[in-house]
Amino acid sequence: MERTVIIDALKRTDFGSKINVRGWVRSRRGNKNVSFIALNDGSTIKNIQIVVDLANFSEEQLKPVTTGSCISATGTLVESQGAGQSVEIQLTELEVYGTADPEKYPLQKKGLSMEYLRTIAHLRPRTNTFGAVFRIRHNMAMAIHTYFHEHGYFYFHTPLITASDCEGAGQMFQVTTKNLYNLKYDENGKIDYSDDFFGKQTSLTVSGQLEGELAAMALGKIYTFGPTFRAENSNTPRHLAEFWMIEPEVAFIQKDELMDLEEDFIKYCVRWALANCKDDLEFLNQFVDKGLIARLESVVNTEFVRLTYTEGVNILQEAVKHGRKFEFPCEWGDDLASEHERFLVEEHFGKPVIMTDYPKDIKAFYMKINEDDKTVQGTDVLFPQIGEIIGGSVREESLDKLNAEIARRQIPMKDMWWYLDTRRFGAAPHAGFGLGFERLMLFVTGMQNIRDVIPFPRTPKTAEF
Ligand code: 4AD
Ligand code: MG
């Protein structure tokens, strides 16, 4: 018989019809007359209840139906008597696809810690929490593609293997086919890459932006959405070594339009979650973070604060004068720490902040330099609970200024001649940003650790699964 997915089965009202569902047993309870199986197939956070009349099935037949086992259940669709569910199935035929030894199956108990669940990341999608998180993750990807498609952007694929360091922070993982125990060196004692696969030193990309800029100079409006890699040795709840980034790049826009785009885009994603992930959000709101839905609603209904870095530092220094303590100092010129960002967003303004015009020395080489020659047109979006969720900027389109900045930073440009060509041939004002997908996921789910919003996290010393 054809399978009905549980999300559809729960909406059916053709009581008395025969129906088949398949999924994983969440629990089985009952008495000597009747047994109740809670079955979940991942299509929704909700389980369907299978009612087993023990006059028709023996204990022996039901024995393999334990938590974690996989079954196919056929029966009659009936209106449910129990509270909290609309329909249930009176079992007539049972097939067990796969058993799960109760002595060994790790997901027996409720309330397992996030840390423990990380060690069984291959099974954790079967929990309510991770089922919800990964359904929301899919929905956020759909929201992102839909937003850009509807706004005339083209999805552009940038390479994962690259010979350039976009952010210039030197946090790259090298890509090589060489025998690392038997490297060839040149006469200066430097590694000779000429006989390596690509004939030069290559790495996994930290950002698709540079290639995205090339595309924007031809297609006008593009976005990338792919994995990026950073070998930053920061073991924090907000950093991954492999994370997904969304990077739109747009020709002919300036700082204000860039900020409008950042705000509109992120609100669209949050609105999408509220509209399309109701059951999962309600679950997370109840069991993971009681303030979640209220926070999501507040973000879509509020205008983000737009603030220069200099104004931000002044506010922080005022706060320090009035006795607010921070772990790190904040002098003009310092990179803001997460505690500073969160103070501004959560305590001072109580809403998201788009911070602009940072000192040039704490930002990447490609940002447009202001008239003051001290600050650049960066436009980061800072969010409650998260801190930086978007990093963006207007790009420096002047070849001379860009060359001067590259020289000042002593950036090796021999592998980036193609990037400078965009400033040589038909240069245009343009701007873009990068949204960390997992940071968005943290915000939308209320989860506390970035390791718990990606299926298989990669962090220092962790590459299991
Ligand atoms: O601020 P970042 O470094 O900016 C760029 O990479 C630019 N090239 C983007 C652009 O303008 N096209 O990174 C962008 C965002 C951050 O705001 C943050 O949300 C996320 O990427 N991010 C990380 N997320 C998880 N783990 C990490 N290690 C991350 N590093 C950055
Ligand atoms: Mg940044």
Side-chain angles (χ1 to χ4, degrees):
M1 184 179 185
E2 205 191 323
R3 169 194 175 209
T4 303
V5 287
I6 290 173
I7 192 169
D8 295 335
L10 291 171
K11 289 183 201 137
R12 277 172 62 167
T13 51
D14 52 331
F15 304 120
S17 304
K18 199 169 163 192
I19 185 170
N20 170 263
V21 293
R22 300 169 203 180
W24 294 268
V25 173
R26 285 292 170 83
S27 67
R28 182 159 74 86
R29 59 186 177 83
N31 51 42
K32 57 184 186 318
N33 301 319
V34 61
S35 192
F36 300 102
I37 303 167
L39 196 69
N40 188 283
D41 69 0
S43 60
T44 162
I45 192 147
K46 293 184 175 151
N47 301 329
I48 198 162
Q49 175 155 281
I50 317 282
V51 184
V52 191
D53 186 344
L54 294 180
N56 305 327
F57 290 87
S58 67
E59 259 310 318
E60 203 51 35
Q61 274 174 294
L62 286 181
K63 213 170 153 206
V65 183
T66 57
T67 300
S69 63
C70 184
I71 65 169
S72 169
T74 307
T76 313
L77 189 75
V78 294
E79 203 164 359
S80 178
Q81 313 298 316
Q85 57 215 10
S86 46
V87 308
E88 55 193 36
I89 295 171
Q90 222 109 48
L91 189 70
T92 53
E93 277 166 60
L94 171 72
E95 187 182 343
V96 178
Y97 288 134
T99 57
D101 184 345
E103 301 288 312
K104 299 199 179 112
Y105 184 62
L107 294 174
Q108 302 286 351
K109 282 190 253 118
K110 286 188 177 191
L112 298 167
S113 75
M114 292 296 157
E115 288 74 16
Y116 173 68
L117 289 169
R118 251 169 250 152
T119 69
I120 51 165
H122 58 309
L123 294 172
R124 67 180 182 168
R126 292 197 204 172
T127 64
N128 282 330
T129 299
F130 285 93
V133 166
F134 296 136
R135 277 186 296 272
I136 293 172
R137 191 174 162 108
H138 159 80
N139 265 280
M140 288 298 89
M142 296 311 293
I144 287 159
H145 285 302
T146 308
Y147 179 89
F148 287 122
H149 181 67
E150 285 179 350
H151 288 80
Y153 289 70
F154 299 106
Y155 181 26
F156 191 77
H157 294 114
T158 53
L160 300 191
I161 299 175
T162 172
S164 55
D165 181 355
C166 173
E167 294 303 303
Q171 300 169 318
M172 306 187 81
F173 291 101
Q174 279 197 53
V175 175
T176 178
T177 53
K178 278 193 155 192
N179 178 346
L180 296 179
Y181 298 99
N182 188 18
L183 293 172
K184 198 164 131 196
Y185 293 90
D186 65 14
E187 60 274 17
N188 302 319
K190 290 225 168 90
I191 298 172
D192 178 359
Y193 288 96
S194 62
D195 66 341
D196 202 348
F197 190 91
F198 296 105
K200 57 163 84 166
Q201 186 178 8
T202 52
S203 307
L204 295 176
T205 192
V206 296
S207 158
Q209 178 194 323
L210 300 184
E211 292 89 350
E213 286 187 51
L214 313 182
M217 294 297 100
L219 302 174
K221 298 205 272 189
I222 65 93
Y223 71 105
T224 73
F225 185 175
T228 48
F229 308 86
R230 294 196 187 177
E232 40 192 347
N233 214 347
S234 36
N235 239 320
T236 80
R238 318 237 175 283
H239 289 87
L240 289 164
E242 177 180 293
F243 64 99
W244 289 64
M245 187 149 58
I246 295 94
E247 297 186 272
E249 194 67 37
V250 192
F252 316 120
I253 63 165
Q254 296 183 340
K255 195 172 74 182
D256 287 335
E257 294 156 289
L258 175 63
M259 290 192 281
D260 292 343
L261 173 64
E262 292 173 344
E263 182 166 346
D264 189 50
F265 167 64
I266 211 158
K267 283 179 170 169
Y268 180 93
C269 294
V270 175
R271 239 182 270 121
W272 181 293
L274 286 166
N276 296 286
C277 309
K278 200 162 166 289
D279 292 344
D280 289 324
L281 287 180
E282 276 169 6
F283 173 85
L284 294 170
N285 194 70
Q286 191 176 345
F287 293 104
V288 170
D289 177 350
K290 297 255 186 270
L292 175 62
I293 291 178
R295 200 160 55 244
L296 299 185
E297 279 167 352
S298 113
V299 159
V300 297
N301 293 320
T302 188
E303 209 173 304
F304 295 4
V305 175
R306 297 181 181 192
L307 185 77
T308 66
Y309 167 90
T310 303
E311 290 165 336
V313 169
N314 288 341
I315 292 170
L316 288 162
Q317 290 180 343
E318 261 321 288
V320 171
K321 265 192 222 144
H322 288 90
R324 180 68 163 81
K325 296 261 182 300
F326 292 106
E327 190 182 338
F328 298 101
C330 86
E331 294 300 321
W332 197 97
D334 294 342
D335 215 348
L336 294 188
S338 173
E339 57 173 347
H340 301 135
E341 295 173 345
R342 293 186 62 171
F343 171 82
L344 291 170
V345 172
E346 289 164 27
E347 291 178 45
H348 189 81
F349 291 109
K351 46 173 137 171
V353 170
I354 308 184
M355 184 169 276
T356 65
D357 302 286
Y358 288 82
K360 65 180 178 183
D361 285 326
I362 59 170
K363 289 294 184 188
F365 76 96
Y366 50 71
M367 294 195 186
K368 189 177 177 71
I369 301 175
N370 282 318
E371 299 276 297
D372 63 12
D373 202 31
K374 286 199 198 88
T375 56
V376 288
Q377 295 190 13
T379 56
D380 287 3
V381 181
L382 313 179
F383 250 44
Q385 312 276 311
I386 309 296
E388 180 189 331
I389 192 163
I390 281 181
S393 77
V394 180
R395 318 306 188 190
E396 182 56 69
E397 83 256 25
S398 146
L399 179 63
D400 289 345
K401 287 190 188 162
L402 199 55
N403 267 328
E405 197 53 28
I406 285 164
R408 190 177 77 84
R409 293 176 189 240
Q410 300 179 310
I411 298 173
M413 284 307 282
K414 75 173 181 352
D415 291 317
M416 283 222 240
W417 57 273
W418 43 269
Y419 180 71
L420 290 173
D421 265 4
T422 54
R423 275 65 170 174
R424 285 196 185 96
F425 307 126
H430 63 290
F433 68 79
L435 167 77
F437 190 48
E438 287 75 18
R439 301 252 175 113
L440 174 68
M441 280 297 298
L442 279 176
F443 182 71
V444 170
T445 59
M447 298 293 282
Q448 294 300 306
N449 194 307
I450 201 162
R451 292 163 179 79
D452 300 330
V453 294
I454 188 167
F456 304 106
R458 268 80 183 99
T459 53
K461 303 281 182 285
T462 319
E464 193 73 55
F465 310 106

